[in-house]
Amino acid sequence: MKEICHWIDGKEVAGTSGRYADIYNPATGEVQARVALASPEELAAAIASAEKAQVGWAATNPQRRARVMMKLGQLINENMDMLAELVSREHGKTLPDARGDVQRGLEVIEVCMGAPGMLKGEFTDNGGPGIDLYSMRQPLGVVAGITPFNFPAMIPLWKMGPALAAGNAMILKPSERVPSTSIALARLAQEAGLPDGVLQVVNGDKEAVDGILDNPAIQAVGFVGSTPIAQYIYGRAASNGKRAQCFGGAKNHMLIMPDADLDKAADALVGAGFGAAGERCMAISVAVPVGDKTADALIERLIPKIEKLKVGPYTAGDDVDFGPVITKAAQDRINRLIASGVDQGAKLVVDGRQLKIQGYENGFFCGPSLFDRVTPDMEIYREEIFGPVLSTVRAQSYDEALKLVMDNEYGNGTAIYTADGDTARDFASRVNVGMVGINFPIPVPLSYYTFGGWKKSAFGDLNQYGPDAFRFYTKTKTVTARWFSGIKDEGASLNFKAMD
Ligand code: NAD
């Protein structure tokens, strides 16, 4: 059985806790490897070693740290296929989608190549008579990144890029379901010139996470995952005096106005609803057509497009649209939620539950499902399904549709399809959601903006990547300085004076 180790002090280190988690091949349902789960002692040793390594890294001037990012970017590009294969092998997503996963992480590393500019301080000349003020941004020390299964490359890169470029050391605790990509990235970072110990990949589960949250050397925690865990981690980290930014789950709605281009809207819904088997925090899981005529016309267009989707293992080639979900438990949960939708009166227009793929009968596959006439009280509306299930909630007016989005407890992403600029502008301005798409279904901002949801999709006050990440991973020191009259007033002296 292949064993995935930790990456500590620049090398792979076998686990000593005796605890392991199985890593499945989601397409076959077989266990393909096992990952070591760190004990509190292993974690504490990795943190202590990172603390030592961070001192020299913080003292390395910012442009040298940026050059490590440059080299890392180059190496990620050169190893794109290897990384994508690792992502697909453990996650199950298609190779083109896995390349996108690596690419959107790489783009954050590209911004980190400009870290010195982000780390510049401020200066006020003559804030008082002969008094100057200046501020500097200094790294926090050792920080932690705790990441989910659904983007095995992108989110670890979102965490490590800004944290390391700012001069911190990082303990990265990737999802125990997809640990290999993080180890590969750590190896590339070493090849790029990152000193050993500055990036430690500690594999583990709740025990390792709790160890991170309680260790006094950890200064900040960047988390991405489900909402209940995000809220838990935010609370425990904050009560231990740490900075925390914790990004959680989502229920993303797309409004389809009567004047929208319905063919384009249907294509967008299929891509955003079913891509990566719906396992994206920015997936559109709720379509909100405005008016019954719009709804009927939309559903009519969606059905053939959904029925044409090809589901299969990533190894089956480029005509596969999406792969399996991550675990048997996820598959069972999705099927249970679909059944609850039917029981509670929603209309199941396309039923993906019966999908069987020859040769992959034990894989965690879910076919695409489409619901019509979903109402907000139903479980399928209230729960984040995180699977290939698109729910349609019909609204009779723009205001009713907007209210639906506003009343939802999540606020990660949303989109509107319309031909009317005024409606789009009103929506973008009023909606209480962090990322908005206008005729654009998955509005993940580019890496020089920032990423973050509102409401129960995020806990903490700064977003991921972009300028916010550099604020999160640095602390500000402000100096007020005055110099009393010196050599310019006294003039140079040629006499041999006492040093008093
Ligand atoms: P998860 O919450 O189960 O796990 C995330 C991380 O937390 C993992 O590293 C895991 O080991 C750890 N963890 C799990 N249970 C824990 C516990 N009880 N105590 C301490 N740590 C624990 O999430 P997941 O299933 O890996 O990822 C899917 C979720 O992530 C979805 O809800 C999705 O919407 C969300 N997500 C959000 C964003 C965002 O930016 N908002 C991005 C991607 C994914």
Side-chain angles (χ1 to χ4, degrees):
M1 173 69 64
K2 187 171 176 220
E3 195 173 314
I4 315 293
C5 303
H6 309 292
W7 178 269
I8 311 277
D9 298 340
K11 52 186 181 306
E12 285 194 36
V13 175
T16 58
S17 70
R19 292 174 63 240
Y20 297 91
D22 288 335
I23 299 172
Y24 288 88
N25 174 346
T28 62
E30 286 160 5
V31 176
Q32 57 169 311
R34 62 178 193 168
V35 60
L37 302 176
S39 66
E41 294 73 31
E42 286 170 295
L43 173 76
I47 294 173
S49 169
E51 242 187 316
K52 290 201 190 94
Q54 192 265 340
V55 177
W57 180 239
T60 304
N61 70 39
Q63 57 273 35
R64 284 182 192 277
R65 295 198 302 255
R67 277 178 213 136
V68 172
M69 292 293 136
M70 275 182 223
K71 183 76 184 163
L72 177 60
Q74 181 197 333
L75 290 170
I76 291 171
N77 260 314
E78 288 170 7
N79 289 278
M80 178 67 80
D81 288 345
M82 177 274 285
L83 291 167
E85 168 77 28
L86 277 183
V87 168
S88 294
R89 195 184 303 159
E90 290 180 351
H91 178 283
K93 63 177 77 174
T94 65
L95 281 171
D97 200 35
R99 276 193 279 275
D101 186 330
V102 180
Q103 176 65 29
R104 292 306 290 259
L106 169 61
E107 288 169 13
V108 167
I109 299 298
E110 287 168 354
V111 167
C112 294
M113 297 173 192
M118 299 275 198
L119 296 170
K120 276 193 312 196
E122 304 153 302
F123 187 87
T124 300
D125 176 32
N126 262 330
I131 298 172
D132 303 325
L133 279 90
Y134 58 96
S135 67
M136 38 185 146
R137 295 199 160 279
Q138 296 189 327
L140 303 178
V142 185
V143 300
I146 301 167
T147 56
F149 79 83
N150 66 326
F151 282 102
M154 181 181 84
I155 297 181
L157 286 166
W158 287 5
K159 296 289 153 213
M160 71 170 80
L164 298 177
N168 300 286
M170 170 161 269
I171 305 294
L172 177 64
K173 206 300 286 170
S175 166
E176 61 273 41
R177 297 181 193 133
V178 292
S180 297
T181 313
S182 288
I183 301 276
L185 289 170
R187 196 186 289 283
L188 293 181
Q190 181 188 49
E191 202 182 325
L194 190 73
D196 292 347
V198 171
L199 174 63
Q200 314 273 54
V201 182
V202 178
N203 283 308
D205 55 4
K206 179 172 169 52
E207 203 169 300
V209 171
D210 288 347
I212 287 171
L213 297 176
D214 294 342
N215 191 304
I218 299 285
Q219 303 298 316
V221 179
F223 170 87
V224 182
S226 57
T227 288
I229 309 297
Q231 191 159 9
Y232 160 72
I233 288 180
Y234 183 68
R236 188 151 167 176
S239 73
N240 282 330
K242 302 181 195 312
R243 283 188 190 188
Q245 53 171 201
C246 300
F247 299 92
K251 196 83 185 173
N252 305 317
H253 298 59
M254 185 168 119
L255 270 59
I256 302 97
M257 298 301 293
D259 63 352
D261 179 326
L262 289 185
D263 291 313
K264 288 202 167 66
D267 279 337
L269 281 169
V270 170
F274 301 105
E279 290 177 326
R280 292 182 184 137
C281 66
M282 288 292 276
I284 295 287
S285 50
V286 185
V288 191
V290 173
D292 282 328
K293 214 171 129 211
T294 315
D296 291 340
L298 182 73
I299 299 272
E300 191 186 306
R301 283 167 173 79
L302 281 172
I303 293 171
K305 289 180 196 292
I306 293 173
E307 285 177 342
K308 263 209 327 250
L309 289 173
K310 272 203 76 179
V311 185
Y314 80 94
T315 44
D318 281 356
D319 61 334
V320 169
D321 292 302
F322 66 85
V325 298
I326 189 71
T327 55
K328 177 91 178 75
Q331 184 190 35
D332 291 345
R333 186 175 165 276
I334 292 163
N335 287 337
R336 185 189 62 73
L337 281 166
I338 293 173
S340 84
V342 174
D343 290 348
Q344 290 170 20
K347 188 173 164 202
L348 186 57
V349 185
V350 181
D351 184 353
R353 286 175 296 177
Q354 302 314 323
L355 176 81
K356 279 277 170 253
I357 298 173
Q358 214 188 353
Y360 295 90
E361 287 79 3
N362 295 323
F364 311 140
F365 290 100
C366 292
S369 293
L370 174 67
F371 274 111
D372 191 8
R373 301 197 178 273
V374 173
T375 53
D377 53 317
M378 293 178 184
E379 207 182 343
I380 47 167
Y381 180 78
R382 284 185 280 110
E383 291 278 311
E384 180 186 34
I385 302 177
F386 222 55
V389 182
L390 181 64
S391 298
T392 308
V393 179
R394 293 175 176 230
Q396 295 312 321
S397 66
Y398 166 70
D399 283 334
E400 187 189 330
L402 176 63
K403 185 171 182 319
L404 186 74
V405 185
M406 303 279 282
D407 288 350
N408 194 275
E409 62 176 351
Y410 294 107
N412 214 37
T414 187
I416 185 167
Y417 267 64
T418 179
D420 182 48
D422 176 55
T423 308
R425 192 174 176 280
D426 184 79
F427 181 70
S429 164
R430 284 165 66 192
V431 74
N432 54 1
V433 171
M435 292 168 282
V436 180
I438 296 175
N439 296 318
F440 197 87
I442 308 189
V444 174
L446 281 168
S447 51
Y448 39 93
Y449 285 79
T450 68
F451 180 108
W454 288 13
K455 298 185 275 183
K456 281 201 165 171
S457 293
F459 302 85
D461 62 351
L462 288 168
N463 278 354
Q464 310 188 74
Y465 64 74
D468 270 12
F470 286 90
R471 281 185 205 112
F472 181 73
Y473 287 116
T474 56
K475 52 196 174 205
T476 304
K477 185 182 283 175
T478 309
V479 180
T480 304
R482 175 162 60 186
W483 294 92
F484 299 110
S485 71
I487 194 160
K488 80 172 171 19
D489 293 336
E490 285 183 15
S493 168
L494 298 183
N495 297 333
F496 189 58
K497 289 213 304 197
M499 207 180 299
D500 50 14

